Amino acid sequence: MHEVALAQEIVEICQAHVESGSKIETVKLEIGALSGVVAEAIEFCFEACAKGTALEGATLLIDKIKGTAKCPICAQTFEVAAVFDPCPHCQTYPVEILSGRQMRVSEIEVNDV
Amino acid sequence: MCNTCGCNPNHSHAHAHDHPAPRKKITIEQDILSKNNSLAKTNRALFKKHQIFALNLVSSPGSGKTALLEKTLRELSAKTRFAVIEGDQQTDNDAQRIAKTGVPVHQINTGAGCHLDAHGIAHALDHFDLKNLDVLFIENVGNLVCPATFDLGEHHKVAVLSVTEGEDKPLKYPTMFENSDVMLLNKIDLLPYLDFDVKKCKEFAKRVNPKIKIFEISVKTGAGMSTWYEWLAQEAREI
Ligand SMILES: Nc1nc2c(ncn2[C@@H]2O[C@H](COP(=O)(O)OP(=O)(O)OP(=O)(O)O)[C@@H](O)[C@H]2O)c(=O)[nH]1
Ligand SMILES: [Mg+2]
Ligand SMILES: [Zn+2]
């Protein structure tokens, strides 16, 4: 469950962006389907990690980014569920991964008190 | 508009909820792993400065990482200066096994943590004489999932897979094998007693990572160990 460590990182990153006393209401994340991270597990750990911080009770909005790839042979682009998926058109692999590896904190919403 | 009831905040009718103060949006756009990645970069710079070849050994529990290290250290430490960082949730059993070979070792206990991170490695490095070190082995916590995500600053991840685990592991845990440059297929002395399909296993590993180098070894009998030693010597020379 490295999601615990990731949830702690999320809390730290967000806290570094606000004044003390502010309350963070929402946190927007981008989690790629190929990142090796389970979005639901992050959600599960986040609540506990946020306790006693500016993020306590904050809503986590997770934008799940699809895995997409381009075939080096037939040049078509398509969705992939795993990095080793072959091209659905000509069965070539490996394919060039275009998106889906990221895990980022994209935006927060703050209530200044 | 009020999110709770959809009314206009300037309305006058009485109702039971507060209208929250206006929210401020702050753009962050930061990788969740950015802190670990920057510490890994610091470790990498330190390895470079002292010309240390660093390997991160990853595998599920019991694949033979410590056994591999014990044998490698016993056979090569006459010519090469080694050090070992041991990562386990609890106990210093593995550090004690390594200490018996005479090689400097430092144990990190991660407690509930399921992986080593760059921060832990940075502190562990304080325990070694970096000026007199050629090769650093980091034995990660036995776990095929979590250690894959955390860069420690190593030159290569080396995945150890033992034949008792089944040939499908590279497909089931692709991130680990994708991020490893070498796969040591260990315990091949047990193949006669198993239905493990070596050819398929290698095919699966190559599918996830076409560039992965695969060595078939048995730490117990010593079979194939010379291929691993040759790779180690070659790569350590080239850094
Ligand atoms: N038959 C056989 N057994 C082996 C071989 N290599 C290791 N073992 C055995 O596998 C068991 C586990 O070995 P360890 O070296 O402790 O494995 P590990 O990967 O360090 O385990 P953790 O640190 O707990 O994750 C021990 O009983 C070893 O003797 C091998 O090549 N053949
Ligand atoms: Mg061990
Ligand atoms: Zn194609």
Side-chain angles (χ1 to χ4, degrees), chain A residues 1-2 5-6 9-10 12-13 17 25 83-84 93-94 101 103-112, chain B residues 21-33 35 114-115 146 149-150 171 174 178 207-208 210:
Chain A
M1 278 284 278
H2 55 306
L6 298 179
E9 290 301 321
I10 294 167
E12 275 189 33
I13 289 170
H17 282 81
E25 301 285 350
V83 284
F84 54 84
Y93 69 77
R101 290 190 191 273
M103 35 176 155
R104 302 166 70 78
V105 180
S106 43
E107 187 187 278
I108 54 176
E109 279 186 348
V110 183
N111 244 340
D112 288 315
Chain B
R23 291 174 175 183
K24 189 170 77 190
K25 281 190 182 171
I26 302 175
T27 305
I28 299 204
E29 296 299 342
Q30 193 174 330
D31 193 310
I32 295 175
L33 287 169
K35 191 177 97 196
C114 47
H115 59 271
C146 311
T149 310
F150 293 83
L171 293 186
E178 195 201 353
R207 192 184 300 178
V208 175

Side-chain angles (χ1 to χ4, degrees), chain B residues 7-234:
Chain B
C7 68
N8 184 317
N10 300 323
H11 59 122
S12 56
H13 71 265
H15 57 309
H17 63 266
D18 297 329
H19 288 131
R23 291 174 175 183
K24 189 170 77 190
K25 281 190 182 171
I26 302 175
T27 305
I28 299 204
E29 296 299 342
Q30 193 174 330
D31 193 310
I32 295 175
L33 287 169
S34 52
K35 191 177 97 196
N36 185 74
N37 291 343
S38 84
L39 289 169
K41 218 168 145 187
T42 309
N43 292 344
R44 193 164 274 124
L46 198 59
F47 296 145
K48 187 165 184 191
K49 179 179 165 203
H50 294 287
Q51 292 281 296
I52 297 166
F53 183 54
L55 295 177
N56 178 3
L57 268 66
V58 292
S59 80
S60 53
S63 68
K65 297 180 295 301
T66 311
L68 172 83
L69 289 180
E70 289 173 298
K71 193 174 187 87
T72 304
L73 300 173
R74 288 214 163 87
E75 299 196 337
L76 303 185
S77 53
K79 282 190 184 159
T80 308
R81 296 168 300 177
F82 291 100
V84 177
I85 296 173
E86 280 291 340
D88 288 289
Q89 290 200 321
Q90 300 292 344
T91 84
D92 63 350
N93 292 354
D94 284 1
Q96 286 183 31
R97 284 166 62 186
I98 298 297
K100 285 193 184 125
T101 68
V103 166
V105 57
H106 180 74
Q107 177 82 49
I108 300 176
N109 281 134
T110 58
C114 47
H115 59 271
L116 294 174
D117 59 27
H119 182 237
I121 297 303
H123 284 292
L125 291 176
D126 291 341
H127 295 266
F128 300 113
D129 174 14
L130 300 182
K131 285 192 203 72
N132 291 301
L133 181 55
D134 302 315
V135 177
L136 173 71
F137 287 118
I138 302 166
E139 180 181 337
N140 219 311
V141 180
N143 177 337
L144 270 181
V145 183
C146 311
T149 310
F150 293 83
D151 183 8
L152 306 179
E154 74 275 359
H155 289 87
H156 305 284
K157 283 192 178 69
V158 174
V160 184
L161 179 65
S162 56
V163 296
T164 49
E165 296 169 54
E167 63 269 332
D168 58 355
K169 292 302 165 290
L171 293 186
K172 282 190 176 162
Y173 302 95
T175 315
M176 184 62 87
F177 292 89
E178 195 201 353
N179 291 343
S180 297
D181 296 310
V182 175
M183 177 172 105
L184 296 176
L185 189 58
N186 188 29
K187 309 195 189 181
I188 56 168
D189 57 290
L190 298 178
L191 284 172
Y193 313 102
L194 305 165
D195 294 324
F196 187 92
D197 189 331
V198 174
K199 195 167 150 247
K200 253 202 189 134
C201 182
K202 290 163 101 172
E203 202 181 290
F204 291 155
K206 294 263 180 194
R207 192 184 300 178
V208 175
N209 178 358
K211 293 196 198 98
I212 199 165
K213 290 207 172 66
I214 303 172
F215 303 118
E216 297 169 40
I217 63 166
S218 165
V219 172
K220 187 183 164 89
T221 66
M225 288 296 282
S226 60
T227 56
W228 152 245
Y229 295 153
E230 275 159 30
W231 178 84
L232 193 62
Q234 171 81 16

Side-chain angles (χ1 to χ4, degrees), chain A residues 71 74 87 89-90 92:
Chain A
C71 175
C74 73
C87 169
H89 308 288
C90 71
T92 297

